[in-house]
Amino acid sequence: PKTDIVFLKVHKSASSTVMNILFRFGETHNLTFAFPLGGGFQLYYPHHFLARFVQGFSPHSPRRFNILCHHMRFLQPEVQKVMPSSAVYFSILRNPVQLMESSFMYYKGASAFSRVRSLEQFLSQPHRYYNPASGDRHYARNLMTFDFGFNPDGEVSPERVQLMLKAIEASFDFLLISEYFDESMVLLKEMLCWDLDSVVSFPLNARNSSAKSPLPDSVVEKLKAWNRLDWEIYTHFNRTFWERIDRDIGRERMRREVKALRERQAELARTCLQGTGSVAPKDIQDSSLRPLQHGAARILGYNLKQGLDQELERTCRRLVTPELQYSSLLYKKQFPPQPP
């Protein structure tokens, strides 16, 4: 199994669920994480990543870490200072239409969104509300482009798009697609030589579906045009995702693997969870399993069954621990507090 991993955690793309998978694998295999300084949760996002943002990094004694997976704005030469040259690089993308709708709900307080009632209103005159100079502009335009380290307000010429896609391909070994999450997990398992249980997960940081409503076609077209760079990235890597599956796995085996993954997930849900799945924040009984609530979104969580044996309780708890709690726990393990 591969143990040196760089995951670019793109916002609002099922990336918290992937992060949970990496946290569990790292913890089980006693790997080290490149944590943000002081145990924070982001690597000084939205600034471009620098090696000195990582706890325990020193230019004089280049210590390498196994897993880098906290939010960052990608800058490969700096990443290479903290990660071994053997590291596998991957990320996950999401359809920019759903991505922006999610971003709008989640980052309602961002400057571009704060004066509008709806996404439709914003898209009717985006330049009226959007200021390219404001520090949180990236939540409102080409968020994936920004996370990959590029300029979200760059011109959209075929040459520039090609350069950007080539740069991503040169840096990343593969990109997953959140709309095909189960297929993505099978591909991840293949690429990293992991076993099935390592990529089983429950959806984390997901919001209540009552907060989602389909957008009219006219709005969808405006949204694609406004996020044209993201759209180019998404359509290109959605295509190469299926090309890779056809080349490395084949559709028939993929179907079998996805079925096995879903069956294992259902089995774990029956074993671990009260009820059938996620619950509203107010219904989560164990406060240590309550995810951070943000913006206008209601982030769901889970209740574990009572009376599980110790080993099973531990497995189940890890599957449903929200990212901030899990990150803090692993940070304290890697950097134990010094006795006074």
Side-chain angles (χ1 to χ4, degrees):
K2 301 207 172 19
T3 53
D4 298 329
I5 294 159
V6 175
F7 171 54
L8 177 63
K9 186 174 187 288
V10 169
H11 285 75
K12 315 309 316 146
S13 304
S15 56
S16 296
T17 309
V18 178
M19 193 182 200
N20 176 273
I21 287 169
L22 296 173
F23 278 167
R24 284 173 9 229
F25 187 86
E27 185 178 26
T28 312
H29 294 80
N30 245 346
L31 305 177
T32 57
F33 289 88
F35 282 109
L37 271 178
F41 301 113
Q42 300 193 340
L43 290 152
Y44 285 75
Y45 187 86
H47 299 285
H48 273 107
F49 176 82
L50 295 175
R52 60 183 170 82
F53 297 162
V54 172
Q55 181 75 38
F57 169 79
S58 150
H60 312 301
S61 60
R63 171 185 178 183
R64 297 280 195 254
F65 299 88
N66 298 117
I67 298 178
L68 174 63
C69 62
H70 287 72
H71 274 310
M72 64 169 161
R73 190 173 182 204
F74 189 66
L75 186 60
Q76 192 161 16
E78 288 291 317
V79 170
Q80 286 165 334
K81 294 178 187 175
V82 295
M83 298 301 292
S85 56
S86 58
V88 176
Y89 286 69
F90 79 99
S91 185
I92 186 164
L93 305 174
R94 184 181 184 186
N95 184 317
V97 175
Q98 280 75 46
L99 180 93
M100 188 167 183
E101 193 268 340
S102 178
S103 185
F104 182 78
M105 290 301 288
Y106 204 81
Y107 301 111
K108 203 77 184 72
S111 56
F113 295 148
S114 58
R115 296 179 11 243
V116 295
R117 284 185 313 282
S118 66
L119 198 47
E120 284 94 318
Q121 188 186 350
F122 173 79
L123 289 163
S124 65
Q125 295 175 290
H127 289 290
R128 184 177 161 193
Y129 306 108
Y130 176 85
N131 172 7
S134 82
D136 61 1
R137 76 185 193 288
H138 51 283
Y139 292 124
R141 187 178 205 186
N142 290 316
L143 182 49
M144 292 190 287
T145 303
F146 183 87
D147 285 356
F148 276 95
F150 304 104
N151 174 10
D153 297 306
E155 52 146 353
V156 188
S157 65
E159 300 74 29
R160 195 169 174 278
V161 167
Q162 278 313 306
L163 278 172
M164 184 172 72
L165 297 176
K166 290 274 179 290
I168 295 173
E169 278 176 341
S171 300
F172 288 83
D173 295 289
F174 57 100
L175 295 181
L176 307 175
I177 302 289
S178 67
E179 281 76 16
Y180 304 102
F181 192 79
D182 293 343
E183 291 83 353
S184 290
M185 291 307 100
V186 172
L187 185 63
L188 183 69
K189 174 173 86 76
E190 283 295 297
M191 303 303 292
L192 300 179
C193 306
W194 289 7
D195 62 6
L196 181 70
D197 268 14
S198 297
V199 298
V200 167
S201 63
F202 297 144
L204 294 175
N205 206 27
R207 63 195 167 104
N208 188 333
S209 57
S210 67
K212 302 175 192 174
S213 51
L215 298 166
D217 291 348
S218 58
V219 174
V220 168
E221 289 313 310
K222 283 180 186 165
L223 211 154
K224 285 182 194 169
W226 176 248
N227 294 287
R228 183 64 194 281
L229 292 171
D230 271 11
W231 187 251
E232 294 286 349
I233 291 175
Y234 179 76
T235 49
H236 175 80
F237 288 105
N238 187 6
R239 193 176 65 248
T240 58
F241 174 79
W242 292 103
E243 286 168 3
R244 165 160 265 163
I245 284 171
D246 289 337
R247 192 180 69 230
D248 296 351
I249 300 174
R251 299 283 170 120
E252 193 40 55
R253 192 177 136 225
M254 176 54 88
R255 270 194 288 276
R256 290 198 306 272
E257 296 262 358
V258 164
K259 185 167 178 276
L261 178 70
R262 287 176 181 162
E263 282 168 1
R264 179 68 182 126
Q265 227 146 282
E267 184 189 347
L268 276 165
R270 286 192 298 274
T271 306
C272 295
L273 304 178
Q274 289 181 31
T276 50
S278 52
V279 296
K282 62 175 177 22
D283 298 323
I284 300 168
Q285 292 147 12
D286 180 342
S287 60
S288 71
L289 296 178
R290 199 168 291 147
L292 174 76
Q293 301 298 317
H294 202 290
R298 281 287 141 267
I299 308 301
L300 305 173
Y302 297 92
N303 287 318
L304 290 180
K305 278 191 174 154
Q306 302 297 306
L308 299 170
D309 73 57
Q310 208 175 350
E311 191 51 36
L312 191 55
E313 210 273 345
R314 190 188 150 80
T315 301
C316 293
R317 178 170 287 274
R318 292 289 182 263
L319 277 162
V320 300
T321 300
E323 74 180 79
L324 303 189
Q325 286 92 313
Y326 208 156
S327 184
S328 297
L329 193 125
L330 293 173
Y331 179 81
K332 288 192 184 93
K333 212 168 155 176
Q334 192 168 310
F335 299 104
Q338 297 302 307

